[in-house]
Amino acid sequence: MTTEGIEAVFIETHNWGKSVKFFQNLGYELEFETDHNSGQLRNGDGPTLFVAEVPADRETPLQLVLKVADADAFRAGDAVEVVSPFEDTHFGTRLATVRDPDGRLWNLQAPRKDQPEAGRA
């Protein structure tokens, strides 16, 4: 089994409120917000944006999360270095990390079998 495209874009920010307003002005709707300055936005059927506020002294990377339908059926192949295998997350998915030939880390996200798809982040 292979990946199925981009599942989400994970964005770290120094200002949660300004970031939400920025994306809302670009047509995204806030699907949910946490009590720790993070949340998920969506625009149509495309990938979700998950935005999380971090301290001002941290960098603010942007990360693409690739979709996997079934973590148990996924086989990375010999050209993919698995940094961390699929593990359950606190937000209702299973997440793995792989490294590409240039050293970039990629997250792979699959639904947990005990969670409905709508609960994914």
Side-chain angles (χ1 to χ4, degrees):
M1 177 169 285
T2 61
T3 61
E4 298 180 339
I6 297 171
E7 172 78 0
V9 178
F10 182 78
I11 304 163
E12 292 184 335
T13 180
H14 292 143
N15 189 311
W16 159 250
K18 285 183 178 180
S19 290
V20 169
K21 286 179 184 172
F22 172 80
F23 288 111
Q24 286 175 323
N25 278 278
L26 294 176
Y28 284 81
E29 293 183 21
L30 184 63
E31 288 190 327
F32 69 83
E33 180 176 355
T34 71
D35 60 356
H36 52 271
N37 293 332
S38 66
Q40 182 170 291
L41 299 105
R42 183 181 299 274
N43 186 341
D45 293 332
T48 60
L49 301 182
F50 191 86
V51 181
E53 187 173 291
V54 297
D57 62 345
R58 272 188 45 186
E59 290 188 33
T60 55
L62 176 129
Q63 184 176 37
L64 297 178
V65 179
L66 302 179
K67 182 178 183 177
V68 173
D70 183 349
D72 295 331
F74 180 77
R75 301 293 175 259
D78 58 357
V80 178
E81 176 189 352
V82 176
V83 175
S84 59
F86 281 99
E87 295 180 1
D88 291 350
T89 68
H90 69 279
F91 45 87
T93 66
R94 298 190 73 203
L95 201 64
T97 304
V98 296
R99 186 181 332 267
D100 74 17
D102 294 306
R104 288 180 291 264
L105 297 177
W106 294 80
N107 281 335
L108 308 178
Q109 181 171 274
R112 276 188 9 207
K113 294 189 185 218
D114 63 340
Q115 295 287 322
E117 244 186 84
R120 295 175 16 188

